[in-house]
Structures are given as structure tokens and as C-alpha cells.
Amino acid sequence: MFKLLGVSLADLWTQRFTFARMGIDLQPMSATGDGALRRPVLYGIMVLATSFELCTVCAFMVHHRHQIVLCSEALMHGLQMISSLLKMTIFLVKSGDLISLIHQLQEPVPSRVVRRGQQLAAIYFLMCAGTSVSFLLMPLALTMVRFYQTDRFEPVSSFRVLLPYDVTQPHIYALDCCLMGFVLTFFCCSTTGVDTLYGWFAVALSSHYRRLTTQLQLHLPLSDPSRPDLGLGHLFAQHARLLALVDRFNAAFREIAFVEVLVICVLYCSVICQYIMPHTDQNIAFLGFFSMVVTTQLCIYLFGAEQVRLEAEGFSRQLYQLVPWQGLSPNHRRLLLLPLQRAQGDMVLGAYFFDLGRPLLVWIFRTAGSFTTLLNALYAKYETMPTA
């Protein structure tokens, strides 16, 4: 069992790499499937560092609550940290079910599909890594340049926080950079690992539906009319198994997708505000990478769910079109009516109150646009008014 699972996980090299950086292994050590967290000390340090920075961001927002631009930027950082903490907590709670689901979905997936999926996952990892590196190195480089030009240590920061210590001291600033290293590693690895794992599941489920459609096209001309099920009983059994896998996937990722949808609306609004309401000391490199990460997150969850739905619709359409219903006896028709009705049911990957797909993507863009318009109006009214 563990050897088979090891072969299955060999294709998830991006996910295994990012989870390993946080002390998590996707391969269980026991038959119960528990124990994904291998290095709890490392993971605990990252969580504590992220929680500490989240508190400093909240303190900054309270202190500068009347400055819309600065609050929106701090909100952008805070929301991403909240998202990472919640997604990783949910992932660890449900890691046993997810690992078992990986093994059941992996084997029939074509290697070319897996290879293409891992290439896209690697690109997404580079986006997240570029976000973290630019966030840390750009202010550090500006601080060194300013020190070289003026011979005075004046730290530059693109992180809107209210720290309980003085970072104008070089040794304190160095320790703060080390602390940010843990925070940024947690952001990069948690975002890449969880999001690309969701994308991998969506690709695998789509491949399963595509395989069922191909088998239906190949086996139906060779079906035995003397058999009550036309010799398609194995195909219906595979479809029932696939429906059960989709239900398990929905149950495992429902909370994570719900957190993603809730956070992404306000997060996208905060990102847009940084473009239309610029300010001093803005990290353009970080903002560019982060914009790509947020947009790609939307595509992974919403277009991935949409792809699964379209493949399920394609299978049900082929089942109706290819089966010669007009030439079947009444007994055959009654027997095949149940799998036909079940195949034509809506295939929806949900997140509690939301159904993932293209309509939700439009709703998120509209909601983010409405929030942005409101903030821009408040900014123009209260922060750009000429002083008397």
C-alpha cells in the first residue's frame, strides 16, 4: 500500500517540495493515514511568526484607521496571512482524507496530463516565490543603498505594521528580517501547496470523466444487445465510483474553497487600490507578483471547478446521444433510465454558500469593483480635499 502511494505521490513533486518546507509530508507513516506533520517545531515557528505579524498589521490598521490607502495595503497583507493560517489548519485536519483521495485518483491519470499540471504548478510556485523574495529584498536593497549614500541607517519597509520594538537599530532590523523570512516562507509554501493540490484534484477528476467518455464511445458499438445493461455495467460502476470521489473531494476542500472565496473579494479590492491610489515607499515588484498570484488563485479554484463540470456534462451528453434509445426494448429503457438521469445531474464543486465556476468569477470581479469604487470615493472626499 505504501509503495503504491509513494509511486502516486512521485508526480506531485511541486506539492511535496512546498509542504516539506513547512515540515509536512504527504505520505503517511502509519496505516491509519495520520501523521502528515513531520516537523511540528518548524511548523509552529512559522505559525507563531505569521500570527505575530498579523497582530502588528491589525495594530497598524487601528492606529491609521483614518488613512484609507495605508489601511487598504495593510488589509491586503493581513488577509493573505489569515488565508494561509486558515487553509493550512483545515488542510492538516483533513490531511488523512486528502492523502487517501490522492491514491484513488492518481493511477488512471495519463502521464501527459500529470506533466502539464506539474509544469503549471511550478510556474505558480515561481510566482509565489517571486512575491516573497521581492517583498523582502526590495526594501532591504533600498535600505542598503540609502545607508551607502547618506551613511545613516534608515530602514525602508513596504510592510505596514506597528512593531513593539525599534527596527532603526541594525541588529533589531536583522532579526526582524529573519522573522519575516519565516512568514514569507509560510505564505509561499502554504499558498502554492494547497492551491496547486486543489488544481491537481480538478485535473484528475476531469481526466476521469474524459476517460469514461472515451470508453463509452469505444465500447458502445461493441455492446451486447442481449444483456440487460448492454454490456455497460462496468462503465456505470466506474461512474458511480467517480461520483463518490467527487463527493469526497467536495467534503475535503469545501472549507478551504469557502475561505478562498471570502478572502479573495476584499483581497482583490485591496490590490486594485494600490494601483489607483499610489503612495510613497510602494513596492512595485511585490505588487506585480502578488497581483499575478491572486489572479492565478481565482483561475485555479473557479476554472478548475468549471472544467470538472464541463467534463461531467460531456459524459452525460455522450451517454444520451450514443445509446440507441429508439431501438431498445421497454425493459432496456427502464433499466438505463436511472444511470442516464444520474449522469445528467448537475456536477457542482461547492464552497458552502457558493458554487465554484465562471458565474462566481464574475460575481467576485463585480464585488471587488464595487468595494474599490466605494474606497476611491471615500479617498477622494476625505484624503484629497485641500486643507483650509
Side-chain angles (χ1 to χ4, degrees):
M1 172 64 183
F2 293 120
K3 291 183 178 179
L4 290 176
L5 185 56
V7 173
S8 299
L9 294 173
D11 292 324
L12 295 171
W13 54 270
T14 303
Q15 290 81 359
R16 295 193 68 181
F17 175 79
T18 53
F19 281 125
R21 305 287 74 76
M22 297 181 292
I24 297 173
D25 191 356
L26 292 179
Q27 186 166 355
M29 297 181 64
S30 63
T32 61
D34 299 328
L37 186 60
R38 296 289 186 270
R39 300 168 65 186
V41 175
L42 175 61
Y43 181 80
I45 292 174
M46 290 184 175
V47 170
L48 289 177
T50 304
S51 302
F52 170 76
E53 293 293 344
L54 178 59
C55 293
T56 61
V57 169
C58 294
F60 178 89
M61 292 177 61
V62 172
H63 188 264
H64 297 274
R65 58 187 176 275
H66 300 299
Q67 296 177 276
I68 296 175
V69 179
L70 295 180
C71 277
S72 66
E73 184 177 359
L75 181 63
M76 176 178 65
H77 301 309
L79 285 174
Q80 187 57 57
M81 287 188 284
I82 291 174
S83 175
S84 297
L85 290 170
L86 289 178
K87 288 196 296 187
M88 285 307 303
T89 301
I90 297 170
F91 174 83
L92 288 178
V93 171
K94 299 194 172 184
S95 59
D97 295 336
L98 291 172
I99 291 172
S100 175
L101 195 58
I102 288 173
H103 174 62
Q104 296 186 41
L105 282 173
Q106 172 69 33
E107 186 177 355
V109 179
S111 58
R112 59 179 179 81
V113 175
V114 174
R115 184 167 57 251
R116 184 173 66 249
Q118 286 305 299
Q119 290 172 351
L120 296 176
I123 295 174
Y124 184 60
F125 169 71
L126 292 178
M127 292 181 188
C128 295
T131 302
S132 298
V133 172
S134 62
F135 187 87
L136 182 63
L137 292 188
M138 288 297 293
L140 183 61
L142 292 176
T143 301
M144 295 297 103
V145 170
R146 184 175 296 182
F147 178 76
Y148 177 77
Q149 293 175 345
T150 63
D151 201 25
R152 290 183 302 175
F153 187 75
E154 298 176 353
V156 177
S157 176
S158 59
F159 199 25
R160 306 303 173 187
V161 294
L162 194 62
L163 295 172
Y165 44 80
D166 184 12
V167 292
T168 58
Q169 302 296 324
H171 61 285
I172 300 296
Y173 180 74
L175 292 176
D176 185 66
C177 289
C178 295
L179 181 66
M180 283 304 303
F182 286 106
V183 176
L184 294 173
T185 301
F186 185 74
F187 154 75
C188 176
C189 295
S190 63
T191 302
T192 303
V194 176
D195 293 348
T196 57
L197 190 61
Y198 183 95
W200 181 88
F201 277 123
V203 170
L205 291 172
S206 300
S207 179
H208 276 261
Y209 271 110
R210 200 175 301 116
R211 182 173 57 88
L212 282 180
T213 303
T214 302
Q215 290 182 358
L216 179 65
Q217 294 171 345
L218 294 177
H219 294 167
L220 193 59
L222 305 177
S223 60
D224 187 0
S226 62
R227 296 181 57 179
D229 59 355
L230 298 180
L232 301 177
H234 68 288
L235 190 65
F236 296 145
Q238 291 182 34
H239 183 241
R241 174 180 173 273
L242 183 55
L243 292 176
L245 291 177
V246 171
D247 290 339
R248 288 184 58 190
F249 171 68
N250 250 331
F253 264 99
R254 184 181 295 115
E255 292 84 0
I256 294 177
F258 181 68
V259 170
E260 191 71 30
V261 172
L262 286 183
V263 169
I264 207 73
C265 293
V266 185
L267 189 60
Y268 220 92
C269 171
S270 300
V271 171
I272 296 174
C273 286
Q274 303 312 304
Y275 286 104
I276 65 176
M277 295 183 287
H279 55 85
T280 58
D281 295 334
Q282 195 168 34
N283 193 335
I284 300 299
F286 160 77
L287 192 58
F289 277 111
F290 191 68
S291 302
M292 291 189 292
V293 170
V294 173
T295 305
T296 307
Q297 279 181 329
L298 279 174
C299 295
I300 289 174
Y301 284 88
L302 302 185
F303 285 117
E306 186 73 11
Q307 181 64 27
V308 175
R309 186 186 67 81
L310 291 176
E311 293 294 343
E313 285 185 359
F315 173 74
S316 64
R317 185 169 54 251
Q318 289 293 318
L319 182 62
Y320 177 77
Q321 292 176 349
L322 295 180
V323 174
W325 302 97
Q326 66 280 0
L328 296 179
S329 65
N331 290 334
H332 278 117
R333 292 180 185 177
R334 283 193 296 269
L335 185 62
L336 297 178
L337 183 61
L338 181 61
L340 175 64
Q341 289 179 336
R342 187 60 189 90
Q344 290 180 336
D346 291 335
M347 176 56 60
V348 177
L349 297 183
Y352 286 116
F353 307 111
F354 307 100
D355 292 335
L356 304 181
R358 285 179 295 180
L360 183 59
L361 178 66
V362 176
W363 180 83
I364 288 175
F365 281 137
R366 287 178 176 175
T367 305
S370 300
F371 286 161
T372 304
T373 302
L374 175 62
L375 289 179
N376 196 27
L378 294 174
Y379 173 76
K381 182 176 181 179
Y382 294 107
E383 296 195 19
T384 61
M385 293 177 60
T387 58

